[in-house]
Amino acid sequence: MVASTAALGGCISVNAPEGPIVIELNINIRQEVIYRLAEDAGNTIEENADIF
């Protein structure tokens, strides 16, 4: 029984897919953009306090 299990364990077949492999990366960069805009706005307000 152990010999038959070992013999079957060696029969592994790996085939490449016929179509292309598609990897979707959903990257959220919104937080960084908002942070930069907020920092720039804060700097602008500090530099031009007389117009705000």
Side-chain angles (χ1 to χ4, degrees):
M1 187 160 117
V2 174
S4 65
T5 305
L8 290 176
C11 298
I12 297 175
S13 176
V14 178
N15 297 325
E18 292 181 14
I21 297 173
V22 177
I23 300 173
E24 293 185 24
L25 298 175
N26 295 322
I27 300 172
N28 186 359
I29 59 170
R30 183 174 179 263
Q31 182 177 5
E32 182 178 352
V33 172
I34 290 174
Y35 176 76
R36 285 187 184 177
L37 288 175
E39 183 180 2
D40 289 344
N43 291 339
T44 303
I45 291 171
E46 287 178 8
E47 292 170 2
N48 302 303
D50 54 331
I51 62 172
F52 289 100

